[in-house]
Amino acid sequence: MSLPGTDPTGPLNDESYIQLLAPDGTRITSAEFDPWLEDIDGDRLAGLYEDMVVVRRLDQEATALQRQGELALWPPLLGQEAAQIGSGRALRKDDFVFSSYRENGVAYCRGVDLTDMIRVWRGNRPSGWDPYEINMATPQVIIGAQTLHATGYAMAAKFDGDDAVAVAYFGDGATSQGDVNEAMVFAASFQAPVLFFCQNNQWAISEPVGLQAQGKLSDRAPGFGIPSYRVDGNDVLACLAVTRKALDHARIGGGPSFIEAVTYRMGPHTTADDPTRYRDANELEDWKRRDPIDRLAALLSAEGLLDEALRQRVQQAADDAAAEMRAGCINMAEPGDLELFENVYTAPHPVLARQRQHYERYLDSFEAAEWGH
Amino acid sequence: MTTMTFGRAINTGLRKAMENDPRVVIIGEDIGALGGVFRITDELQKDFGAHRVIDAPLAESAILGTAVGMAYRGYRPVCEIQFDGFIYPAFDQIVSQVAKLHYRTRGRVRMPLTIRVPFGGGIGAAEHHSESPEAYFTHTSGLRVVAVSNPQDACTVIQQAIASDDPVLYFEPKRRYHTKGDVDENALEDALPMDRARVEVPGTDVTLVTYGALVQTAREAARAAEDDGVSVEVIDLRSLSPLDYSTVEASVRKTGRLVVTHEAARTGGLGAEIAASLTERCFYYLEHAPVRITGMDIPYPPAKMERHHLPDLDRILDGVDRVLGRPNSLTGLED
């Protein structure tokens, strides 16, 4: 008997998905989705290329910082650049993102400060950024919990008569969680303007997607009454077009949508993981041939846009971003001794105040002892 | 002053909160046309609309999780958990999200949720309908936890809870829903703050601490003790987190004897926390070790057995005898 999810002829390995850019860089036309890309001229294509190169570089830098002992942990996004940049660049500023911990490419699109991106991973702060500054909640570690937050936010946007959309990012593993299924029930019942963006990167730590699902993930949403798309997650143009279409659907009162972006986690789950224990090296080689950045580079080359000047400009932008992140990491101020007591409550709490006072005296007692001798 | 039932008093408080702030919404199961299984939200959907009194699909985690999302957008959701025993599917959202988001975002995101929970036994209910889960939540930093014991508090504290920028678990003793009392609907301004205990019955010999449905039982115990020449001071905690230790401590310094009673099981319960904290705070004032009169360390029993599980007047008086060193049920028992 084969292990769940390992049947190469099963529905999970079906490559029928929306694709506008083939792995070799060939542009595939689509009457349905090309209208959503009308503004994507040469400059914008180059912009998407730059975004993907920069976030891959930032991801590598953060991994290096972890290896050098500067970060406690890092969850790499390597391989998922197209899914994150394509969808992230489709969003409006007033849309609100509720993501997992791996969507640093989306955070980059939202304009996150690069030091804020890594604060939480250095262990200096309970969270990285101010959610209201970039309209993106801080990373969610409890798998799938954020899908409910996105749904509630979308319900509230609808109460307000606002056409902002809430976007929930999650992975294939999360689709097994009750919260994700409950979120789809609520989103459908209340016709909430929420987009469920599932990056199926094939692996939930060591568990293949076949352990989570015996059919396509995108086939689940219609059972909830939610329109669904299965898209090549390594195709930045398809991700951009389909996300735009789904956002528009939500904005005009059409309710929720579900997108399964079929992609691959080329790296480990986090820097603490060792994928060689559970997956075949050939699989990675196979997915490298479908690399999201290479295929956009191939399109740019074919159109004569990827000249040396662009290559250098993009490389410089990536190196500058990495240097900025590294400097922000190394120079981050250490937290104060009593900072752990802050922001537990919004208003005074006598029991906690007393505990803090006692601990402060305890810390002071060391100083007093030193002076005493 | 209006005479009304406990349940009507909560309804009145909810109505006032909704009138005062358009950002207050209620979400729960069967709270619309039905008015809730206990009718606490009676007529509210008719008067405020289905977008403010929201009948939710049957998913407690989603009731809490969507309320979190609404709070992100500035709303002040009131979540109704239909029965105490139904709160556990929502436990993760409450403990990992609601309680921690203010801390995790360094104060940027506020979670002004109120989570209403009918709790406790004594109504002969089916399984999972009589539980006292409050200690799970008092153990969780970031939450405030209150338990009301009378119609006036029910009306004012629900409004204070909704006005709080911290998340509040609001425990309602369902067996007292039909108790009547005088309620001043406009008492909010001069009301005792939500996080303060109240000396319910003044006394000098024994401090008897409780909350929720057992406040009434404790009052009856104090009356019975008085007939026996013992003066019992009854304290209604009202707030379970934070605990108002200054009020309890002042009483114990005076009486030297402490009895804590609650319906919840003993081990790891609030009685343990109160006994330990008061022992730390006023050890030299104590004439006897604090005594806990609580539910048994068992799953909530079937209806015909619950009278053995729930503390009642006689068990409380037995505890009073113990702290007084009088003959009691445990006299002569080697530890």
Side-chain angles (χ1 to χ4, degrees):
Chain A
M1 199 184 93
S2 64
L3 290 167
T6 55
D7 174 8
T9 62
L12 295 169
N13 291 303
D14 177 350
E15 286 182 16
S16 62
Y17 39 49
I18 300 158
Q19 191 181 66
L20 304 178
L21 187 58
D24 65 0
T26 309
R27 181 73 167 79
I28 300 161
T29 56
S30 158
E32 186 182 0
F33 293 105
D34 283 350
W36 296 98
L37 297 176
E38 273 174 358
D39 62 324
I40 304 299
D41 55 14
D43 280 353
R44 297 213 165 151
L45 271 184
L48 293 169
Y49 174 71
E50 178 180 326
D51 285 343
M52 291 201 288
V53 171
V54 170
V55 299
R56 180 170 288 187
R57 180 74 182 81
L58 286 169
D59 194 60
Q60 286 165 341
E61 192 70 14
T63 298
L65 284 165
Q66 193 281 332
R67 295 296 185 233
Q68 293 156 4
E70 299 292 347
L71 296 181
L73 191 73
W74 179 254
L77 60 78
L78 184 66
Q80 298 176 224
E81 293 86 355
Q84 296 195 15
I85 297 300
S87 61
R89 285 298 180 208
L91 301 174
R92 224 165 61 180
K93 223 180 175 72
D94 63 335
D95 294 332
F96 207 104
V97 174
F98 293 86
S99 77
S100 87
Y101 41 82
R102 205 182 300 285
E103 279 74 40
N104 289 297
V106 179
Y108 176 79
C109 293
R110 304 303 282 166
V112 70
D113 176 271
L114 298 180
T115 307
D116 283 348
M117 194 187 270
I118 50 171
R119 278 183 204 288
V120 67
W121 305 108
R122 191 165 166 86
N124 281 42
R125 291 279 191 269
S127 73
W129 56 80
D130 175 346
Y132 296 121
E133 225 168 66
I134 60 170
N135 277 352
M136 178 167 176
T138 47
Q140 180 60 254
V141 169
I142 304 296
I143 301 298
Q146 75 278 13
T147 56
L148 286 170
H149 306 165
T151 303
Y153 189 94
M155 288 166 70
K158 194 175 173 182
F159 300 157
D160 294 339
D162 192 345
D163 70 350
V165 179
V167 185
Y169 282 91
F170 52 100
D172 43 296
T175 60
S176 296
Q177 289 282 355
D179 277 358
V180 175
N181 291 276
E182 291 184 19
M184 288 200 274
V185 170
F186 274 54
S189 292
F190 295 104
Q191 284 297 290
V194 56
L195 169 60
F196 297 103
F197 194 94
C198 175
Q199 290 170 85
N200 172 5
N201 70 10
Q202 314 298 326
W203 291 93
I205 306 188
S206 71
E207 298 188 348
V209 62
L211 195 59
Q212 319 293 340
Q214 286 296 296
K216 292 176 197 163
L217 300 177
S218 58
D219 283 349
R220 287 197 188 168
F224 292 92
I226 296 176
S228 182
Y229 304 91
R230 192 164 191 258
V231 55
D232 182 343
N234 285 8
D235 170 353
V236 70
L237 294 180
C239 289
L240 177 65
V242 175
T243 306
R244 281 178 166 181
K245 185 179 158 104
L247 290 172
D248 183 67
H249 174 78
R251 274 192 228 297
I252 60 172
S257 299
F258 183 101
I259 295 174
E260 177 192 359
V262 181
T263 179
Y264 190 73
R265 194 195 76 206
M266 288 182 169
H269 163 67
T270 68
T271 46
D273 180 34
D274 175 11
T276 64
R277 291 178 66 91
Y278 54 82
R279 69 184 185 189
D280 190 338
N282 292 330
E283 187 181 281
L284 179 60
E285 289 309 310
D286 184 37
W287 278 92
K288 276 184 180 167
R289 285 190 284 277
R290 292 181 254 178
D291 187 284
I293 298 181
D294 289 351
R295 75 172 76 178
L296 184 56
L299 175 68
L300 285 167
S301 291
E303 301 208 344
L305 296 166
L306 192 58
D307 56 15
E308 195 49 33
L310 177 62
R311 276 187 197 280
Q312 275 189 14
R313 194 192 82 203
V314 167
Q315 192 55 51
Q316 192 60 49
D319 290 343
D320 288 351
E324 183 188 332
M325 173 193 262
R326 172 170 287 273
C329 178
I330 308 289
N331 298 322
M332 205 180 291
E334 290 296 300
D337 286 343
L338 296 170
E339 219 177 300
L340 75 166
F341 291 103
E342 286 171 17
N343 294 312
V344 183
Y345 297 93
T346 65
H349 188 286
V351 176
L352 185 61
R354 181 178 156 110
Q355 199 169 75
R356 179 190 170 125
Q357 184 205 4
H358 287 192
Y359 187 63
E360 197 170 0
R361 284 180 65 103
Y362 168 76
L363 291 180
D364 288 347
S365 70
F366 287 94
E367 208 174 314
E370 279 166 28
W371 284 106
H373 287 286
Chain B
M1 284 285 184
T2 316
T3 303
M4 62 177 80
T5 62
F6 203 118
R8 175 55 61 177
I10 303 171
N11 177 277
T12 302
L14 287 170
R15 177 178 291 278
K16 290 191 92 67
M18 295 191 81
E19 282 167 358
N20 291 338
D21 186 348
R23 298 248 132 191
V24 176
V25 295
I26 310 182
I27 181 166
E29 295 158 5
D30 303 301
I31 66 170
L34 182 66
V37 294
F38 292 111
R39 310 292 182 266
I40 304 300
T41 54
D42 189 32
E43 307 247 294
L44 294 179
Q45 190 183 61
K46 180 172 76 67
D47 295 341
F48 293 99
H51 63 295
R52 290 191 66 196
V53 180
I54 305 161
D55 262 332
L58 267 65
E60 286 79 10
S61 187
I63 290 171
L64 265 296
T66 54
V68 167
M70 292 176 203
Y72 256 101
R73 229 187 128 84
Y75 280 82
R76 308 184 83 85
V78 180
C79 302
E80 176 173 311
I81 299 295
Q82 196 163 67
F83 282 90
D84 36 53
F86 305 169
I87 199 168
Y88 308 114
F91 196 69
D92 174 60
Q93 285 289 340
I94 297 173
V95 171
S96 301
Q97 313 297 334
V98 175
K100 295 189 175 89
L101 269 164
H102 187 256
Y103 190 75
R104 281 168 50 205
T105 60
R106 302 174 64 207
R108 283 298 290 136
V109 177
R110 293 188 164 191
M111 283 291 128
L113 273 70
T114 300
I115 305 165
R116 290 185 37 238
V117 191
F119 84 124
I123 60 165
E127 57 183 352
H128 308 297
H129 288 68
S130 300
E131 312 212 341
S132 295
E134 60 271 20
Y136 297 120
F137 302 102
T138 59
H139 191 65
T140 302
S141 301
L143 301 174
R144 292 177 186 270
V145 183
V146 298
V148 286
S149 70
N150 61 71
Q152 179 67 69
D153 275 356
C155 183
T156 51
V157 175
I158 189 67
Q159 294 177 73
Q160 292 169 322
I162 292 168
S164 167
D165 280 336
D166 290 320
V168 181
L169 271 286
Y170 176 93
F171 282 99
E172 312 169 3
K174 64 175 96 74
R175 68 167 136 151
R176 305 289 184 225
Y177 274 150
H178 301 289
T179 304
K180 283 188 176 167
D182 288 337
V183 175
D184 177 358
E185 297 174 23
N186 302 310
L188 196 57
E189 265 183 40
D190 309 321
L192 187 64
M194 185 178 74
D195 59 1
R196 297 292 300 281
R198 180 193 286 119
V199 176
E200 191 73 15
V201 178
T204 53
D205 299 331
V206 175
T207 299
L208 175 57
V209 172
T210 191
Y211 54 90
L214 288 181
V215 172
Q216 187 178 312
T217 315
R219 291 180 72 107
E220 290 161 8
R223 258 199 304 278
E226 197 179 0
D227 294 344
D228 211 13
V230 176
S231 171
V232 173
E233 178 150 296
V234 177
I235 294 178
D236 178 0
L237 283 173
R238 299 172 80 251
S239 174
L240 310 184
S241 180
L243 283 160
D244 177 7
Y245 283 118
S246 55
T247 298
V248 182
E249 190 177 339
S251 176
V252 173
R253 281 174 184 247
K254 180 174 67 180
T255 63
R257 296 175 178 89
L258 172 65
V259 175
V260 186
T261 182
H262 53 62
E263 292 185 22
R266 177 172 309 172
T267 301
L270 271 172
E273 187 58 40
I274 293 165
S277 294
L278 269 295
T279 304
E280 285 172 352
R281 286 170 185 247
C282 48
F283 181 70
Y284 290 107
Y285 291 83
L286 288 171
E287 304 285 347
H288 192 281
V291 163
R292 290 171 288 165
I293 304 296
T294 67
M296 306 302 172
D297 287 341
I298 56 171
Y300 199 89
K304 285 189 176 173
M305 302 179 195
E306 69 180 341
R307 68 188 175 86
H308 297 294
H309 175 68
L310 294 172
D312 61 10
L313 185 141
D314 288 327
R315 275 179 64 201
I316 291 171
L317 288 175
D318 190 48
V320 169
D321 284 338
R322 276 165 65 192
V323 293
L324 284 165
R326 293 176 157 200
N328 64 80
S329 63
L330 301 186
T331 301
L333 184 72
E334 294 283 334
D335 267 355

